[in-house]
Amino acid sequence: MQNSFATTLRMLREEKKLTQADLAGGHLSRTIISLYESGRKTPSYEAIQHIAERLGVAVDVFFGGGNEAAHKAFITLMQQAEKAEKRGDWTDAVEMLDSAAALCGTYHLNKWKFYVDYHRGLALTHVGQWENAVEILLPLITDPSFHDNLDVAYDILRSLGMSMRKMGQIQLSILFFRLMLHITGPSDHKWIRTQINLATAYELLSQYELAERHYQNAIEAAKQFGDGMLEAWALIGWTTVQFHKNEIEGCEEALTRAEHLGEILENQEIIYAVRHNRLVMTRISRNWDEFEREYSELLNSVPHEEWKAQLLEEKILYDTEQENWLEAEKDIEIALSVPVEGCIRAQLLISAGKCYLKKQEDMRAKTLFCQAIELMRMSSSRKIGELFEYLY
């Protein structure tokens, strides 16, 4: 297995006993050289020529194959993909990176294979192609370049964890998130994000004690690190776990703190999440008049489909409590038409099934429970056992 461009550059520089500052020159700063060696930035073809000249090697050394035309075309595609990533146009980035990967294969540009696959995997995660992302990223864990840069390793593990979670393979997602903890520390915002990701995964498995512990870890670390955004999300997650346990003690204080942080940061998604969790708390408290008012307000400001699904689930639970079957039928139909997958859809199916169960429409309930089990069968969720009790 050949070394990547980034590893080759670092090894050649160290062989010549040069610092990054020594290698810099012209329009290339020490910082730029550092970004090249970390795989964080694609150099121009001219920059590669300059570096090759400074190191006294041929340009081909940094590609592993191909010719000048192929090299230039490849670098152009990589730089265009990098620009697309920066502006958040991930679909465009995937197209550019697929073309770059094809060039890599055709002209044996082996020094760049790890770098291309790393960026392709991340881009595919962003566009929701979870299975393709896993197929590309998983082999990179055994590549020597994986161990050369902890930031790159973190990105790969995070994308694998997120993809596995979206695919419903929660236990595998936990494995990747736990590996991430070994390359980060409590003073790093990445460690805090990983704690939140682990908490979310355990929450999906209904392992609420573990979820609560990781949310608390995140809250404390975020406070010490001064990261208001991560503290707010961890507080919101912690209250969600309490609601799963039908507990509300301490939740208003936590949500008030999260709301304050959201307002300071002018983060509308945090503010919406706080309002959503206040709605849940209102339902648990059985304050029905307040629930109807808050629900109507939230319905007009849902930021995306996953939140819409969770909001509609709250409405179904409310309808069930009120035994408002006509309203429940309508809300279930709308909820199941929302394009969400995995555990979120499974939870919708479970809540709808429980509604039909209370309505004594057992066959309809069992049909929905079976669909939920099928979605959760890879997750090892405790809820699967509960659903089998309803079926038999």
Side-chain angles (χ1 to χ4, degrees):
M1 188 177 291
Q2 292 195 30
N3 290 319
S4 67
F5 162 77
T7 303
T8 300
L9 172 57
R10 177 177 54 77
M11 290 175 65
L12 286 172
R13 176 179 61 75
E14 290 174 349
E15 281 177 14
K16 300 288 183 179
K17 294 183 168 49
L18 298 174
T19 65
Q20 291 176 340
D22 293 333
L23 189 56
H27 64 286
L28 298 180
S29 65
R30 186 203 66 78
T31 301
I32 292 292
I33 298 296
S34 175
L35 289 171
Y36 293 163
E37 290 189 4
S38 68
R40 289 292 187 182
K41 186 174 177 62
T42 304
S44 66
Y45 187 75
E46 291 70 25
I48 294 174
Q49 286 180 311
H50 169 82
I51 291 168
E53 185 177 337
R54 295 274 289 172
L55 292 172
V57 298
V59 170
D60 288 356
V61 168
F62 293 115
F63 288 91
N67 53 47
E68 184 175 337
H71 297 165
K72 287 182 175 179
F74 173 79
I75 291 296
T76 298
L77 285 168
M78 290 302 298
Q79 289 188 315
Q80 290 300 315
E82 195 172 275
K83 289 177 181 177
E85 289 175 358
K86 285 181 179 177
R87 65 175 182 266
D89 188 350
W90 294 101
T91 300
D92 197 24
V94 168
E95 290 179 7
M96 295 292 179
L97 290 164
D98 283 347
S99 297
L103 269 179
C104 237
T106 302
Y107 291 97
H108 307 290
L109 309 181
N110 300 322
K111 299 282 186 180
W112 289 89
K113 187 178 186 317
F114 177 89
Y115 187 61
V116 174
D117 285 348
Y118 159 63
H119 280 274
R120 282 177 77 205
L122 266 57
L124 287 166
T125 303
H126 278 281
V127 299
Q129 295 187 33
W130 319 117
E131 292 183 7
N132 290 338
V134 169
E135 185 178 349
I136 289 171
L137 291 173
L138 199 55
L140 300 187
I141 294 178
T142 62
D143 192 295
S145 297
F146 176 82
H147 304 282
D148 288 343
N149 187 286
L150 294 182
D151 288 335
V152 170
Y154 171 87
D155 288 344
I156 291 170
L157 291 172
R158 182 175 183 274
S159 291
L160 284 168
M162 298 294 285
S163 296
M164 289 296 184
R165 190 170 73 189
K166 290 289 187 180
M167 291 162 61
Q169 300 190 34
I170 311 301
Q171 293 286 8
L172 283 174
S173 78
I174 287 172
L175 169 64
F176 291 118
F177 291 143
R178 287 208 163 278
L179 287 172
M180 288 160 62
L181 289 180
H182 293 288
I183 58 175
T184 56
S187 61
D188 187 340
H189 73 276
K190 292 177 180 177
W191 185 89
I192 304 170
R193 288 182 185 276
T194 304
Q195 290 288 342
I196 294 173
N197 281 325
L198 273 169
T200 305
Y202 283 121
E203 188 182 330
L204 290 170
L205 292 178
S206 304
Q207 296 183 24
Y208 300 128
E209 296 81 7
L210 286 170
E212 185 173 0
R213 185 190 310 165
H214 286 289
Y215 278 131
Q216 288 173 334
N217 289 343
I219 291 166
E220 293 305 315
K223 283 180 180 176
Q224 293 177 14
F225 197 56
D227 193 319
M229 184 180 73
L230 292 181
E231 183 188 346
W233 283 118
L235 286 164
I236 291 165
W238 180 85
T239 61
T240 303
V241 170
Q242 305 313 305
F243 299 151
H244 281 303
K245 299 189 293 182
N246 265 337
E247 297 175 5
I248 60 173
E249 184 178 352
C251 291
E252 179 53 42
E253 293 83 355
L255 290 174
T256 298
R257 170 66 177 168
E259 184 177 40
H260 174 65
L261 292 168
E263 288 171 349
I264 291 172
L265 296 166
E266 297 182 346
N267 188 313
Q268 294 305 310
E269 194 159 350
I270 287 174
I271 293 170
Y272 175 88
V274 168
R275 293 177 64 199
H276 175 92
N277 276 23
R278 280 212 172 100
L279 177 76
V280 179
M281 191 160 60
T282 300
R283 176 181 58 77
I284 293 171
S285 303
R286 303 176 70 83
N287 187 343
W288 304 130
D289 291 340
E290 187 69 14
F291 180 93
E292 289 182 2
R293 185 186 64 79
E294 290 179 7
Y295 175 79
S296 298
E297 291 176 358
L298 283 174
L299 195 58
N300 296 320
S301 57
V302 183
H304 52 70
E305 299 292 3
E306 288 190 3
W307 279 113
K308 184 178 181 181
Q310 292 176 58
L311 181 61
L312 285 164
E313 184 196 353
E314 283 302 311
K315 184 60 162 53
I316 292 167
L317 294 171
Y318 165 78
D319 294 335
T320 305
E321 286 281 348
Q322 295 290 294
E323 297 188 1
N324 189 341
W325 306 127
L326 287 175
E327 195 72 14
E329 195 74 48
K330 182 185 74 173
D331 290 328
I332 289 171
E333 183 180 354
I334 295 170
L336 296 182
S337 70
V338 178
V340 290
E341 301 173 355
C343 292
I344 292 176
R345 183 165 182 81
Q347 189 56 51
L348 272 179
L349 291 164
I350 292 168
S351 295
K354 288 181 177 179
C355 177
Y356 286 131
L357 206 60
K358 188 172 182 181
K359 195 182 173 185
Q360 297 184 336
E361 294 188 20
D362 291 3
M363 288 309 298
R364 295 180 77 179
K366 288 181 178 181
T367 298
L368 294 177
F369 289 152
C370 286
Q371 292 175 19
I373 288 170
E374 181 63 22
L375 285 171
M376 294 192 300
R377 61 189 169 85
M378 298 295 292
S379 69
S380 302
S381 172
R382 291 176 180 174
K383 290 181 180 177
I384 293 178
E386 176 190 333
L387 294 179
F388 274 117
E389 289 181 11
Y390 287 128
L391 292 175
Y392 299 106

